[in-house]
Structures are given as C-alpha cells and as structure tokens.
Amino acid sequence: MRILWGFLSGLVFGLGLVISGMADPAKVLNFLDLAGSWDPSLAFVMGGATLTAFIGYRLVWRRQTPALDQTFDIPTNRSIDRPLLTGAALFGIGWGIGGFCPGPAWTALPLLAPGTLIFLPALIVGLWVGAKVKALGLLDAKGAAS
C-alpha cells in the first residue's frame, strides 16, 4: 500500500509540474532573467507550494503518528555547515545553468529534449560522485577537506 501511495504522490507532483509549466526549462531561465524576458510565474508556483506545505504540515502535526509509518522521520541535524552550503550552491548553479531541478527534469524526460538528455545523465553522475566522496570520507564532520 505504501508503494501505491508513493506512486500516486509522485504522479500528482509530476502532473503539477507539467500543468504549471515547470517541466519547461525556459520558464525557469526566464524567471532568473531579471534584465531580459522576466517571467514571474515561477514565484506564484513557489508561493502556492509554500502555502500548501504550510497547511499540510499544520494538519499532519496534529496526528500522533504518520498514516503509513509508526513514527515521524524528523531530521535531527540542524547545523548549517560547509557540505550543506556547497550542495545548495551546486544545486542553484545547476538549476540556473540548465533550468531544471531533478523533479522537472524527470518529468520532461519523455519530451526527449536535448537539454534533458544531457542534464539527467550529469545529475546521475553527480549523485554517484557525491556518494563516493562521502563514503570515502574525503570530507570530515565539519566539511573541511581531510
């Protein structure tokens, strides 16, 4: 049952990306182009998502346990460290260059656009390299190179 709910959640998310136009990297790049053909529609999509998440969290936290698990899986690490900032910067740079973040890139894959066919393999390689760097312990707990 959990797999079915996960699939349905992903399907709704993907449909939302397509309907909002966020599967089109030109939308994102136009949002970032403040001096050119600026398109504010991404701000409205983000605002709607923020409002939905805010309401959703308020409803979920009223429950004793999640609907599909025994306990809530809440992160305990609240530190803002070098790996977090580096990852955020890499994500932002990749988003600005390619016009995609991972969700919309997967959603746009059936369109077989050349940008998507370059972005997704690069994303997968980046995830693999990041996992190897972390597994080899090339960064210590503070995020500094060893």
Side-chain angles (χ1 to χ4, degrees), residues 13 47 122 140:
F13 178 71
D140 64 12

Side-chain angles (χ1 to χ4, degrees), residues 6-141:
F7 173 78
L8 290 174
S9 297
L11 183 64
V12 168
F13 178 71
L15 286 172
L17 291 172
V18 170
I19 291 168
S20 67
M22 294 302 117
D24 179 7
K27 278 280 225 199
V28 174
L29 295 174
N30 286 338
F31 173 74
L32 298 173
D33 186 9
L34 297 176
S37 57
W38 185 63
D39 178 0
S41 61
L42 179 58
F44 293 109
V45 171
M46 284 193 247
T50 301
L51 180 63
T52 303
F54 177 81
I55 293 168
Y57 271 104
R58 295 302 165 280
L59 294 173
V60 166
W61 290 130
R62 291 181 181 178
R63 299 177 59 92
Q64 293 296 317
T65 61
L68 300 175
D69 208 346
Q70 301 301 316
T71 60
F72 288 105
D73 186 16
I74 302 169
T76 56
N77 183 357
R78 294 186 172 270
S79 62
I80 298 175
D81 55 6
R82 187 176 296 161
L84 175 67
L85 294 174
T86 302
L90 289 171
F91 177 90
I93 291 167
W95 190 49
I97 291 171
F100 279 127
C101 62
W106 286 106
T107 303
L109 183 60
L111 302 175
L112 297 176
T116 309
L117 298 177
I118 294 169
F119 180 86
L120 281 173
L123 170 74
I124 293 168
V125 168
L127 289 169
W128 181 79
V129 169
K132 291 294 179 192
V133 165
K134 190 172 182 179
L136 292 172
L138 297 177
L139 299 175
D140 64 12

